[in-house]
């Protein structure tokens, strides 16, 4: 990708001065240096109107001098970099040791650091037959460079956003890891204990079986059975096996929920039921929630939606954690789902502190958080907002301070069937 300075210095057959929004000189090309008799090092950082005070009487539109007589505006050049309320084309002229230079164009662009700047193109009034072609060629080059730069920045932004999303997801997984481990450890603990008890029972049962070959009378065998508590063992074995099967089933469900929650990080758009994602997320986050909030589910009969399962599950998780953190001591979280026409919705309502109007306006901004330092990244709601937006949906917020909040997520059943906006 060509750099702007390269275009201005090498490919521009015009005298160019680049100023910032205050009119301070950032750069001049070699043609401007030749005409003005000043080097870049001599004028960099100097307000342009100090070098050429005559522009003040012509309506110099930058810096403290702005607001004087307006320059003679000619028209507008297509540009997406309107920082100051200035037309792109206006008439200025300066007098240099080599003669008069006229300007017809102020091209708004950005520096490599992303700061607003303006390229003023000056031409020799005695060579007017040529400058129109020069202007057109240079503007095309600059616009191409800006588009390339913006494309690169957009690519970088998308990469950064994806990385932030993954980091937030991993932070959430890390936060839940202890709770999931606890949820798995409990059933595995009593399954292991039951196996040890069954091992002991098996030793006693084998003693009874082996004794059949050696006892002299049936009464001796009956006495051994009473000594080893055969009747109790027989009944307890059934309970141990049933309890162990229940524990293994719980572990199986937790693992299945984890798999569905992450969906192997597959962001492919597919048909899925939001209720399944809500249930799996609740199962994964259950240990995190149960000590602080009672969860009520009111899930409706809803159609499938085309979505990225792992990303929507992440939204559910983020909204759940946000609701949980809004509850001071203990409270209730209610999760509902439903559909209207071609839209499916789910909402999470909490009995927490509520959200004030000023916070509502900023709650989806990146890195905005009301939590103390170290207790939140400020990315959860922002990433959730971006995920829902990517799915062509929206998030509605209803809250009264001190009386909790409800966040409702709307998703189209089929994004491709939406009317073109």
């Amino acid at each position: 990708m060509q750099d702007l300075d390269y275009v201005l210095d090498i490919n521009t057959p015009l005298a160019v001065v680049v100023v910032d929004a205050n009119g301070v000189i950032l750069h001049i090309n070699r043609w401007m240096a030749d005409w003005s008799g000043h080097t870049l090092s001599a004028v960099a950082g100097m307000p342009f109107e100090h070098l050429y005070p005559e522009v003040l009487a012509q309506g110099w539109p930058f810096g403290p001098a702005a607001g004087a007589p307006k320059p003679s505006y000619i028209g507008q050049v297509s540009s997406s970099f309107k920082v100051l309320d200035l037309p792109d084309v206006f008439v200025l002229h300066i007098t240099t040791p080599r003669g008069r230079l006229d300007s017809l164009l102020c091209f708004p662009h950005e520096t490599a650091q992303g700061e607003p700047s303006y390229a003023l193109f000056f031409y020799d009034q005695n060579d007017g037959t040529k400058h129109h072609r020069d202007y057109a060629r240079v503007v095309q080059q600059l616009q191409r460079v800006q588009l390339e730069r913006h494309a690169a920045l957009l690519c970088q932004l998308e990469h950064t956003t994806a990385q932030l999303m993954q980091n937030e997801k991993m932070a959430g997984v890390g936060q839940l890891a202890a709770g999931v481990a606890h949820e798995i450890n409990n059933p595995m603990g009593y399954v292991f204990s039951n196996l040890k008890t069954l091992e002991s029972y098996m030793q006693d049962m084998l003693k009874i079986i082996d004794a059949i070959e050696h006892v002299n009378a049936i009464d001796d065998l009956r006495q051994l059975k009473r000594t080893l508590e055969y009747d109790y063992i027989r009944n307890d074995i059934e309970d141990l096996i049933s309890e162990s099967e229940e524990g293994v089933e719980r572990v199986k469900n937790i693992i299945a929920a984890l798999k569905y929650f992450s969906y192997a990080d597959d962001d492919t758009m597919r048909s899925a039921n939001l209720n399944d994602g809500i249930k799996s997320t609740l199962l994964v986050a259950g240990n995190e929630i149960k000590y602080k909030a009672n969860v009520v589910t009111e899930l409706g009969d809803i159609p499938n939606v085309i979505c990225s399962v792992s990303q929507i599950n992440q939204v559910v998780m983020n909204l759940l954690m946000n609701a949980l953190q809004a509850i001071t001591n203990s409270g209730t979280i209610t999760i509902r789902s439903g559909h209207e026409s071609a839209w499916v919705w789910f909402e999470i309502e909490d009995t927490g502190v509520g959200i004030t109007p000023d916070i509502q306006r900023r709650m989806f901004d990146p890195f905005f958080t009301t939590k103390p330092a170290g207790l939140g990244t400020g990315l959860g709601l922002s990433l959730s907002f971006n995920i829902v937006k990517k799915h062509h949906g929206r998030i509605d917020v209803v809250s009264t301070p001190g009386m909790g909040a409800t966040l409702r997520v709307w998703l189209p059943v089929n994004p491709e069937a939406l009317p073109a906006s």
Side-chain angles (χ1 to χ4, degrees):
M1 181 182 71
Q2 286 184 323
D3 187 80
L4 282 172
D5 288 347
Y6 176 83
V7 173
L8 296 176
D9 284 336
I10 305 301
N11 291 345
T12 309
L14 301 165
V16 180
V17 179
V18 180
V19 297
D20 64 14
N22 292 314
V24 174
I25 297 173
L26 301 176
H27 183 77
I28 62 173
N29 71 346
R30 59 190 179 91
W31 276 272
M32 186 64 193
D34 290 343
W35 274 83
S36 66
H38 299 290
T39 63
L40 172 60
S41 59
V43 299
M46 178 186 299
F48 186 76
E49 67 268 25
H50 289 187
L51 191 62
Y52 296 102
E54 62 205 272
V55 298
L56 296 176
Q58 302 170 48
W60 178 243
F62 299 101
K70 296 297 182 183
S72 300
Y73 295 136
I74 304 300
Q76 201 72 25
V77 173
S78 176
S79 172
S80 60
F81 305 101
K82 298 300 292 181
V83 180
L84 298 179
D85 185 20
L86 295 174
D88 296 332
V89 182
F90 53 81
V91 175
L92 287 174
H93 65 265
I94 59 175
T95 303
T96 72
R98 289 181 53 183
R100 171 170 156 163
L101 290 177
D102 288 323
S103 173
L104 279 179
L105 179 68
C106 173
F107 184 83
H109 62 285
E110 292 176 337
T111 66
Q113 291 71 40
E115 298 296 328
S117 59
Y118 300 83
L120 280 68
F121 297 86
F122 292 90
Y123 70 97
D124 179 3
Q125 63 172 342
N126 295 318
D127 193 17
T129 59
K130 181 174 176 290
H131 79 271
H132 291 292
R133 294 194 307 273
D134 295 339
Y135 272 130
R137 184 163 65 86
V138 173
V139 168
Q140 287 175 354
Q141 289 174 328
L142 287 175
Q143 288 179 329
R144 184 175 67 251
V145 171
Q146 282 294 79
L147 289 173
E148 290 176 352
R149 177 176 289 174
H150 271 203
L153 289 174
L154 181 60
C155 181
Q156 182 181 1
L157 178 62
E158 290 176 348
H159 175 75
T160 302
T161 301
Q163 188 63 46
L164 286 173
M165 188 179 297
Q166 183 65 18
N167 290 348
E168 180 70 11
K169 188 170 184 176
M170 293 306 297
V173 170
Q175 182 181 8
L176 295 170
V180 172
H182 180 73
E183 287 292 303
I184 292 177
N185 192 53
N186 273 348
M188 290 306 297
Y190 62 71
V191 167
F192 181 77
S193 175
N194 290 349
L195 287 174
K196 298 298 288 185
T197 303
L198 284 170
E199 181 184 26
S200 174
Y201 286 171
M202 180 58 71
Q203 296 298 324
D204 291 340
M205 295 294 285
L206 289 174
K207 289 179 182 178
I208 294 172
I209 293 171
D210 292 341
I212 294 175
E213 302 291 333
H214 306 293
V215 294
N216 297 319
I218 192 67
D219 289 340
D220 295 337
L221 185 59
R222 288 171 178 159
Q223 178 59 42
L224 179 61
K225 289 174 63 179
R226 286 193 293 271
T227 301
L228 296 177
E229 298 180 309
Y230 171 81
D231 292 335
Y232 173 80
I233 290 174
R234 180 173 178 175
N235 292 329
D236 196 35
I237 284 176
E238 294 181 1
D239 292 338
L240 290 176
I241 292 175
S242 176
E243 189 179 69
S244 297
E245 288 176 343
E246 179 185 340
V248 171
E249 188 67 24
R250 280 184 61 188
V251 172
K252 178 182 175 182
N253 290 338
I254 292 170
I255 292 174
L258 277 171
K259 182 179 178 181
Y260 190 88
F261 173 74
S262 65
Y263 229 95
D265 286 332
D266 182 4
D267 290 336
T268 304
M269 302 291 281
R270 67 186 74 223
S271 178
N273 193 286
L274 295 184
N275 287 345
D276 293 337
I278 292 170
K279 292 173 185 176
S280 69
T281 306
L282 278 174
L283 192 55
V284 171
N287 192 72
E288 185 82 10
I289 297 172
K290 66 183 180 183
Y291 298 109
K292 193 175 182 181
N294 177 45
V295 177
V296 177
T297 56
E298 301 174 2
L299 304 180
D301 184 13
I302 58 176
N304 285 10
V305 300
I306 305 298
C307 67
S308 165
V309 175
S310 65
Q311 290 187 5
I312 297 302
N313 288 346
Q314 185 66 43
V315 172
V316 176
M317 177 67 75
N318 290 345
L319 297 189
L320 271 175
M321 293 298 104
N322 186 71
L324 185 66
Q325 292 163 357
I327 296 173
T328 305
N329 295 313
S330 62
T332 300
I333 295 176
T334 304
I335 306 175
R336 305 181 183 92
S337 65
H339 71 98
E340 295 182 16
S341 185
W343 294 81
V344 172
W345 58 266
F346 70 88
E347 66 179 21
I348 297 179
E349 177 184 358
D350 64 71
T351 57
V353 297
I355 310 171
T356 60
D358 60 318
I359 291 178
Q360 285 189 41
R361 287 190 291 268
R362 302 178 59 196
M363 60 188 292
F364 297 115
D365 292 347
F367 303 106
F368 174 76
T369 178
T370 58
K371 305 179 187 72
L375 295 183
T377 63
L379 286 174
L381 289 180
S382 174
L383 292 176
S384 298
F385 177 84
N386 288 331
I387 289 172
V388 172
K389 184 178 179 181
K390 175 183 174 182
H391 284 75
H392 305 282
R394 71 178 192 270
I395 302 178
D396 293 341
V397 181
V398 177
S399 179
T400 301
M403 300 181 64
T406 301
L407 274 68
R408 175 177 286 194
V409 175
W410 293 84
L411 295 173
V413 172
N414 184 2
E416 294 183 357
L418 292 175
S421 56

